[in-house]
Amino acid sequence: MNIGTNIYALRKEKKITQAQLAEKLGVSDQAVSKWENNQCAPDVSLFPIIADYFGVSIDRLFGYHMNSYAEEVKAIMKAADDSMDTYKEIEIIRDGLKKYPNSPDLKIYLAFSLSMVNRMSKDDNEKKKAIKKAITLCTEVIDTCGDNKQIDRALNMLTRIYNETGNYEKAAETISKISADHFEDRVVGMVSMLGGKKCYAEQEQFAEDSLFKLYWTMSHVFEYMTHSYTINKEYEKAIAFFDAHEKMLSIFDRGCSDFYATYKVFACENKAKVYMKMGDKENCLEELKRFFALAEQVRTVAQSSDFNIAVRNPMYFSNISEEIGEEYMSNIYPEKALGKYDAFFGEDEAYIDFKKSVTQ
């Protein structure tokens, strides 16, 4: 990688225009444009000035030792972790920032350590200084870093700091800036902020709504993954995801033992199909038994009054929107599904006895 390409990358990372960089270096906009388009290189006398402005070494300006830069930053953070002392961490990271002043990783790490000082210290002046510096570090990353992942990390850290210091308006404003790529930080930050404000009713409403959305998202992801693994004949992985999906579907069973039983029915049936593909008669039969038991449970409770989530499961979803319903099917006939298993089980006595018990 040549110097022009590196200058372009560093400029974008710092979120400045060619004109702004030109002004800082005392050259024309056209000169910067030519460097970045690799039409010419800066005068050698500008190398240390450019490197200093971006807070990098001349080696890095030329693209040398990029891997070693990342490894050194990791080593600095590991040394801080290994110190097992907040004040020592701060000292180590500050020394690291002298060498790598633009490292977002080091800035965010230092902001975290300083926020811990706010928790630990009994000196109000020390606490105020620590928080002020932590906010400055996060803001620098947000304003100057071109990496959206690092910006979200800084926003998340800033949210925590504002929540811990009772600045809830700033926390809410910061949460809104976190990208959709890190929606989980937005959810956690908002729940924390509302709790800090003692807005418990609003916190409960938001938490329930978020829990259900996450629950529903995970359910769909598990369905797609089990389907993909089955199609690719990766049956062991499919079974693992079926097991995880089943546990996930049962998370909110307390207070409603048949919560989302319809989806458990189809999960059991699909799992039985995979065991059949694997040639595993014992586990296939066990899943068919569970399939029939759940199907009977669904048919028993399939009433229109049971469709609302808040009515069905008030322990967890007492505030959920009335528009969110739970699908129940009274026309599930598992007996019709058994025909596809006859050839697989053949004269297996356990299967024959089971089939008789559910079809009589």
Side-chain angles (χ1 to χ4, degrees):
M1 189 180 290
N2 56 46
I3 190 170
T5 305
N6 281 324
I7 289 173
Y8 171 81
L10 289 166
R11 179 175 65 78
K12 286 294 185 181
E13 185 177 320
K14 202 169 179 67
K15 292 184 176 179
I16 59 171
T17 64
Q18 288 183 340
Q20 288 172 318
L21 177 58
E23 183 182 354
K24 292 289 184 182
L25 301 177
V27 298
S28 67
D29 301 7
Q30 290 80 5
V32 174
S33 177
K34 287 180 179 180
W35 299 343
E36 293 185 355
N37 287 312
N38 299 312
Q39 295 176 4
C40 65
D43 187 273
V44 292
S45 63
L46 287 173
F47 291 166
I49 299 172
I50 297 171
D52 183 64
Y53 174 69
F54 286 118
V56 299
S57 67
I58 292 178
D59 276 355
R60 191 182 172 204
L61 189 62
F62 278 91
Y64 302 141
H65 311 305
M66 291 296 287
N67 291 334
S68 64
Y69 161 76
E71 291 303 318
E72 283 192 45
V73 168
K74 286 181 182 178
I76 291 167
M77 293 192 293
K78 185 178 186 306
D81 282 340
D82 291 344
S83 71
M84 304 293 288
D85 179 272
T86 299
Y87 289 97
K88 186 64 177 176
E89 283 179 8
I90 292 171
E91 181 183 336
I92 293 169
I93 299 299
R94 277 179 172 161
D95 285 343
L97 279 168
K98 290 176 183 176
K99 187 173 183 181
Y100 302 111
N102 285 330
S103 168
D105 287 310
L106 295 179
K107 287 181 179 180
I108 295 169
Y109 192 120
L110 182 54
F112 170 76
S113 297
L114 290 167
S115 73
M116 294 304 294
V117 170
N118 178 63
R119 292 184 183 182
M120 298 162 45
S121 178
K122 296 181 180 180
D123 184 330
D124 287 342
N125 189 47
E126 182 183 40
K127 292 167 73 169
K128 287 178 182 177
K129 285 184 177 179
I131 288 301
K132 183 178 180 180
K133 180 60 178 177
I135 291 172
T136 298
L137 288 163
C138 291
T139 303
E140 285 178 3
V141 174
I142 294 163
D143 291 343
T144 65
C145 181
D147 185 334
N148 288 332
K149 182 179 179 180
Q150 296 285 26
I151 291 172
D152 279 348
R153 289 183 61 224
L155 287 166
N156 185 43
M157 181 58 64
L158 198 54
T159 297
R160 290 179 55 183
I161 292 169
Y162 285 140
N163 276 334
E164 288 183 8
T165 55
N167 197 339
Y168 301 118
E169 287 187 11
K170 281 283 190 180
E173 180 185 339
T174 305
I175 291 167
S176 68
K177 296 176 182 177
I178 298 174
S179 74
D181 288 339
H182 296 95
F183 72 94
E184 69 279 7
D185 291 333
R186 297 178 70 167
V187 172
V188 174
M190 186 63 73
V191 172
S192 174
M193 185 271 290
L194 292 171
K197 287 178 68 177
K198 294 182 170 49
C199 297
Y200 299 123
E202 191 178 350
Q203 182 192 41
E204 186 177 1
Q205 178 72 62
F206 180 82
E208 288 185 8
D209 185 56
S210 298
L211 275 174
F212 187 75
K213 288 177 182 176
L214 293 168
Y215 174 86
W216 197 232
T217 300
M218 286 183 67
S219 181
H220 283 303
V221 170
F222 278 127
E223 283 182 9
Y224 287 127
M225 291 306 296
T226 51
H227 177 72
S228 295
Y229 284 133
T230 302
I231 293 296
N232 291 330
K233 299 182 179 180
E234 297 181 78
Y235 300 130
E236 292 294 340
K237 288 183 178 180
I239 291 296
F241 270 76
F242 275 124
D243 289 342
H245 190 194
E246 182 181 335
K247 290 177 181 177
M248 195 278 299
L249 286 170
S250 300
I251 287 174
F252 301 113
D253 277 352
R254 183 175 180 179
C256 182
S257 61
D258 51 6
F259 186 62
Y260 269 84
T262 301
Y263 289 87
K264 295 173 189 174
V265 166
F266 293 124
C268 280
E269 183 186 19
N270 288 327
K271 194 174 177 182
K273 291 176 183 177
V274 172
Y275 276 127
M276 180 169 64
K277 291 177 184 294
M278 295 172 70
D280 187 337
K281 291 183 178 180
E282 182 179 353
N283 281 311
C284 181
L285 182 57
E286 286 303 310
E287 290 304 321
L288 287 175
K289 289 178 180 179
R290 294 180 67 245
F291 170 44
F292 271 75
L294 282 166
E296 185 58 35
Q297 189 176 3
V298 170
R299 285 191 291 206
T300 301
V301 299
Q303 302 171 12
S304 59
S305 60
D306 292 328
F307 278 46
N308 180 260
I309 293 295
V311 174
R312 297 275 307 123
N313 200 343
M315 178 172 288
Y316 294 103
F317 301 118
S318 60
N319 294 315
I320 212 75
S321 169
E322 292 183 2
E323 297 176 0
I324 299 178
E326 180 177 352
E327 187 175 10
Y328 266 100
M329 299 181 183
S330 58
N331 59 340
I332 293 177
Y333 301 106
E335 299 85 358
K336 295 180 180 180
L338 282 180
K340 69 184 74 170
Y341 296 93
D342 289 348
F344 172 62
F345 281 102
E347 299 301 317
D348 185 278
E349 292 184 5
Y351 173 73
I352 292 171
D353 290 341
F354 166 68
K355 187 173 181 180
K356 286 180 181 178
S357 69
V358 296
T359 55
Q360 287 177 350

